[in-house]
Amino acid sequence: MSVAQRPHAVTRGKARSKVDDRTLEALGLDRAPREHPLIYPGAWPVESGLLHRDRFLRLRSRPNRRLAQWLVESPPGGFGDSEQGQTVPLDYALMRSNEPLVGERFPVLSVGSNACPAQLRHKMEGLGVSSTIPMVKIRVTGIGVGVSAYVSPLGYVSSSPFHAPGVTRDLFVTWFDATQLEIVDASEGVFTPGGEYDRVLLPGAEFPMELPSGELLGSVYAYVHRYGVLHDGSGAPRPHDGERQLLTDLLSESRRLREWFGDTAEEFSSRARGDVRLCEKGTRLFQDEERTTRSGLEHHVPAAPATTVYDDIRPVNALAAGFQRVARTPDVYDQRGSGVVRMSAGLSADLGHPRQVIVQNMQIPQARHERLGALASVVVAQDLDPEDRSTVQVDRSLRVCVGVEPGEAVQVRAAALPRTRHHWQDVLFGPLNYVTCRIQDGDRASAEHEVCLLDGLTLELIGVSSGDAIVLEGFPDENGIVPVLELKAIQTSDEVQERRKDLHGGDMTSRYPSSLDALGTYPDLPWAFLDRRLWSGLGVEGQWLATVRIRCSRTYQLKKELREMVFLLGIAFIGVVTVLNDTTWRLISLVVLVLLTGTLVSMRLRSRLTQRAKRVGGAVRRP
C-alpha cells in the first residue's frame, strides 16, 4: 500500500511514567507452578492484559467493541513508533510485533495455571515459541473450579472445571494462536492416548460469559478432565482452594496416600515430581477409594477437537432491529474486481434484490449522517441459510473502510448506481475493476482543481495512467442513489504524501484524522486527494475518513485506444489501396481491417483493465 498511516500518531493520550512497572517480576507474576509446584495454580493477574515477553501490559476494553479494538499500553520501545505507555489497538500491537492477530486466535477458558502468566511463558519459551498472549478477565456463569482426579508428575494436583448451575465467578480467557494451542493441547494430553484432558467448546448460550466490553462470548474452549473431578465427600465437586491446603487435606483423608506420598504437602510434591509410575498409582487410588465424580461437562466432548477461531465465534448479544452481524467472506469465491457483501436470499429480497449496498458500522456512537459507509457489490450466497437475515459476510477491505470487526453490528442498505455503463462493455472489455480509497482533503498544489490525486500503485490497479479520466462512486442519498463523478486522475507526488503524513493523526475531531486512532484499522486504504468542493458532489460532505469506489472510465479508455489505432488503420488501408485495384476487394479489406482493429482494441483494454487470475497448465501426467 503506497500510503500508510503514521504509526506515531496512533494515540493522543498522555504517555504513562517511564518507570517500567509492568514486568512480571514487578507485578509478582514471575513464578511458575512448573518450577514451584506448591504455588499452583500460580499468581493470576488482577486485570486484563497482554502477556508480551517478560511483561504483562494493561489491556483496556472499549464498550461494545470486539477484542481486536481494545487498547493496550505500549512497553519500553513501543509498538512500531509508539512511545512507552501510549495506548494502541491490540491488533496493531500484535501486527507490529509480527504476531497472529486476535481474530486468528482461539479463546480458551483457564481455571488453573493457564491463567498464570509465568506458567504460560514457561510452556511457550521452553519450546522456542512466542509467549505473546492476550489474557482477558471475564465473568462466567455455570462453571466451577474443581480438583482433577489426577496426580501430575509436575508435583501437584491440578484444577479442572465442572458444571455449577447459577454460580458466577471471574475467570480468565487466554487467546492462543495455532502454535500456542498445540503446545497447550500437548501439555494437557489432548491427543495422547490415555491423556488427562479433552478440549471442549462450551456454548455461551448455556454458560454466559461476559467480557468487560459488554460482549457475550458465543463460545469458548475449555480443558475438561477425562477422569472427572474429586468430590467433597457429599458427592458434590470439591473446590480447588490452593495446592498446599488441598494436598494437606487429601493426605489427612487417606492412609494409603500418606504411605505413598508422605505426611506433608512438601513431601507429596517432592515424591510425585517426575515419578510417573507413582503418580499413576495415586490417580488410580482416587478411583479405588471412590473419591471422584463427573464434571457435568462430558457431553460437550467432541469426536475431534474443534478449530473455530475468534473471528468465527459470534457474540450472543441481541441485535437491534434492522442490523446485521458481520462474518468473514470465504476464500474460495470470485470477487470480480470489487468489494463484496455476501447475503442470504431472504435478506436480499427484503432489500429489494439490490446489486449494490452501503455497509455502515453501527458499533461507533455517531449521528446517522456521520456514520461511515462503504459501497459494495452484492452476492446472494447459496451456501447461506435463505432465512438468515441477521448475518452478512463482508470482505476485509470493506471492514477496513468502516472499521468493523467480524462479529460486530452493521447496517446494510440498498443502493443503486445511475446508468453510466452498458452491458456490451462488460462483454468486450471484461468486468470492471475497482479500488476503494479513503478521501483526503485536497493538497494546496491541487486546490480548486477538479482532479483526483492518486498514488502510482492505485493508478496501475485500475489500469489507467496519470491524466486519464476515472469514475468515482460516492455515498448514496436518501433515495439510495449513488452519486457518480468523472474527472481526471493525476499521480500524486512523494512530497504531497509525506506532507500529509506529517499532519496525519488523531480521531474524528482532528483536521486530518487517522483511521488507526478513529477506527482502529492499520494499515489504511490508499488515499485519494480531492478538493473539498467535490466532496459534496460525492455525497460525503462532513464525513471524515469517508471512502469512495474508483474505477477507470472505459469510454475514455476506448477513445484513447482508438486514437492510437486509427492512425495505424489509415496507413494499413493506404497500403491495401495501392496493392488492390478492385473496389470490392478494397471494401472487404477495409472491413477486415476495421474488425481486426476492434479486436485488438478489445484485447488491449481487457488485458489492461481486468485483473483476473488464470489457472495455467493441465492435468499432471503420470509416468
Side-chain angles (χ1 to χ4, degrees):
M1 188 164 294
S2 59
V3 181
Q5 292 175 317
R6 188 178 180 88
H8 70 248
V10 296
T11 181
R12 291 291 177 249
K14 292 183 178 179
R16 293 178 60 85
S17 169
K18 297 296 182 181
V19 176
D20 187 6
D21 60 351
R22 303 305 298 179
T23 65
L24 297 185
E25 183 178 6
L27 295 171
L29 301 174
D30 58 324
R31 299 177 71 203
R34 287 190 164 205
E35 297 177 331
H36 308 279
L38 290 180
I39 70 169
Y40 183 92
W44 291 8
V46 297
E47 60 185 345
S48 301
L50 175 65
L51 176 60
H52 182 62
R53 299 175 183 151
D54 64 340
R55 294 177 176 83
F56 190 74
L57 306 172
R58 287 186 181 89
L59 183 60
R60 298 174 178 174
S61 65
R62 297 182 66 189
N64 303 315
R65 299 312 306 269
R66 295 273 270 175
L67 182 60
Q69 293 276 345
W70 290 22
L71 300 175
V72 60
E73 289 186 0
S74 300
F79 295 109
D81 292 339
S82 64
E83 297 180 3
Q84 178 183 346
Q86 289 184 324
T87 58
V88 296
L90 177 57
D91 255 7
Y92 174 81
L94 294 172
M95 181 182 295
R96 296 308 298 252
S97 301
N98 199 23
E99 301 282 353
L101 303 182
V102 170
E104 303 163 5
R105 293 173 175 260
F106 303 83
V108 179
L109 184 67
S110 301
V111 300
S113 62
N114 284 337
C116 172
Q119 185 86 323
L120 292 175
R121 187 175 177 222
H122 190 284
K123 286 184 179 183
M124 303 304 163
E125 296 188 358
L127 295 174
V129 172
S130 167
S131 61
T132 298
I133 302 169
M135 302 178 64
V136 177
K137 193 173 186 178
I138 70 170
R139 178 143 293 184
V140 186
T141 299
I143 296 294
V145 180
V147 181
S148 66
Y150 173 75
V151 180
S152 171
L154 293 172
Y156 50 70
V157 178
S158 60
S159 302
S160 186
F162 64 87
H163 189 199
V167 174
T168 298
R169 63 182 304 153
D170 291 337
L171 294 172
F172 273 88
V173 171
T174 49
W175 263 261
F176 296 128
D177 65 37
T179 302
Q180 293 165 345
L181 186 68
E182 287 182 7
I183 291 174
V184 178
D185 279 349
S187 72
E188 308 293 354
V190 171
F191 298 106
T192 304
E196 307 89 60
Y197 288 89
D198 288 303
R199 175 159 52 82
V200 305
L201 193 61
L202 300 178
E206 185 176 347
F207 303 96
M209 296 167 279
E210 184 176 4
L211 277 63
S213 60
E215 176 185 346
L216 297 177
L217 200 57
S219 57
V220 69
Y221 292 97
Y223 290 100
V224 175
H225 211 282
R226 294 174 182 172
Y227 304 153
V229 294
L230 300 184
H231 61 69
D232 60 2
S234 68
R238 178 180 205 147
H240 198 303
D241 296 324
E243 194 66 22
R244 187 181 296 276
Q245 185 61 50
L246 171 65
L247 295 181
T248 300
D249 293 343
L250 291 176
L251 289 170
S252 69
E253 296 166 4
S254 173
R255 177 182 56 81
R256 292 176 67 187
L257 208 60
R258 292 195 299 274
E259 291 176 357
W260 296 343
F261 290 92
D263 296 324
T264 65
E266 288 79 6
E267 287 183 282
F268 185 109
S269 181
S270 177
R271 294 186 186 184
R273 191 169 176 82
D275 192 334
V276 175
R277 186 166 297 179
L278 178 60
C279 290
E280 290 177 348
K281 287 180 61 178
T283 299
R284 286 196 300 270
L285 182 61
F286 289 148
Q287 304 289 333
D288 294 341
E289 294 185 343
E290 298 182 347
R291 306 180 70 176
T292 65
T293 186
R294 294 170 61 85
S295 68
L297 302 174
E298 292 83 1
H299 63 285
H300 292 289
V301 176
T307 56
T308 306
V309 295
Y310 178 56
D311 265 356
D312 295 329
I313 296 176
R314 290 181 45 164
V316 295
N317 303 66
L319 268 177
F323 290 5
Q324 286 77 39
R325 190 81 69 187
V326 171
R328 299 185 299 172
T329 50
D331 295 328
V332 290
Y333 79 101
D334 185 1
Q335 291 177 278
R336 292 195 169 270
S338 65
V340 168
V341 170
R342 302 177 83 241
M343 63 179 62
S344 69
L347 180 57
S348 175
D350 290 349
L351 296 175
H353 302 287
R355 299 181 63 179
Q356 313 289 332
V357 291
I358 194 80
V359 182
Q360 293 182 276
N361 186 346
M362 307 308 289
Q363 302 287 154
I364 302 175
Q366 295 174 307
R368 181 179 177 83
H369 69 280
E370 294 176 334
R371 290 193 187 278
L372 292 176
L375 187 63
S377 299
V378 173
V379 171
V380 179
Q382 302 303 316
D383 56 322
L384 296 178
D385 180 358
E387 301 304 317
D388 183 4
R389 291 167 168 80
S390 65
T391 303
V392 289
Q393 296 179 346
V394 181
D395 277 343
R396 177 171 176 78
S397 62
L398 297 175
R399 301 199 305 268
V400 171
C401 287
V402 296
V404 67
E405 302 292 333
E408 293 188 336
V410 295
Q411 185 177 52
V412 177
R413 297 190 293 120
L417 291 168
R419 188 172 180 80
T420 58
R421 45 185 274 241
H422 302 281
H423 179 68
W424 64 266
Q425 293 178 323
D426 293 338
V427 175
L428 290 178
F429 310 135
L432 284 169
N433 188 54
Y434 286 92
V435 174
T436 300
C437 294
R438 185 90 63 195
I439 292 182
Q440 294 290 327
D441 196 8
D443 189 75
R444 290 290 175 85
S446 60
E448 300 181 2
H449 289 273
E450 295 182 354
V451 297
C452 178
L453 301 189
L454 297 172
D455 62 87
L457 176 58
T458 301
L459 292 174
E460 290 185 18
L461 287 174
I462 58 178
V464 303
S465 303
S466 182
D468 288 354
I470 58 172
V471 176
L472 286 75
E473 300 171 354
F475 191 88
D477 59 22
E478 61 275 6
N479 297 316
I481 304 301
V482 178
V484 176
L485 290 182
E486 181 174 331
L487 66 163
K488 185 177 292 187
I490 304 294
Q491 182 170 348
T492 187
S493 66
D494 293 339
E495 180 184 0
V496 170
Q497 295 186 66
E498 290 301 321
R499 184 160 57 238
R500 185 55 52 86
K501 287 180 187 177
D502 289 337
L503 299 172
H504 195 234
D507 58 20
M508 293 292 195
T509 63
S510 304
R511 178 174 177 81
Y512 301 113
S514 156
S515 68
L516 180 58
D517 290 347
L519 305 177
T521 58
Y522 181 89
D524 196 15
L525 304 167
W527 287 349
F529 293 86
L530 290 171
D531 187 76
R532 188 66 62 85
R533 293 178 302 165
L534 297 173
W535 289 37
S536 177
L538 289 167
V540 297
E541 188 174 14
Q543 289 189 29
W544 293 113
L545 298 178
T547 62
V548 292
R549 205 166 65 164
I550 301 177
R551 63 175 174 87
C552 72
S553 169
R554 291 192 296 192
T555 301
Y556 176 88
Q557 293 297 321
L558 178 59
K559 293 177 181 178
K560 180 179 176 180
E561 289 288 341
L562 288 176
R563 283 198 301 266
E564 297 177 4
M565 297 299 294
V566 164
F567 176 71
L568 297 177
L569 176 63
I571 294 176
F573 183 66
I574 292 173
V576 170
V577 169
T578 59
V579 173
L580 299 175
N581 296 322
D582 187 271
T583 303
T584 302
W585 282 107
R586 288 177 178 177
L587 291 175
I588 293 174
S589 299
L590 177 61
V591 171
V592 170
L593 288 173
V594 170
L595 291 175
L596 180 61
T597 300
T599 301
L600 291 175
V601 168
S602 176
M603 292 175 61
R604 282 169 57 90
L605 286 177
R606 180 180 285 269
S607 173
R608 182 155 51 85
L609 303 181
T610 303
Q611 314 248 344
R612 301 290 300 280
K614 296 181 181 178
R615 185 184 297 275
V616 296
V620 176
R621 293 184 178 180
R622 301 296 181 186

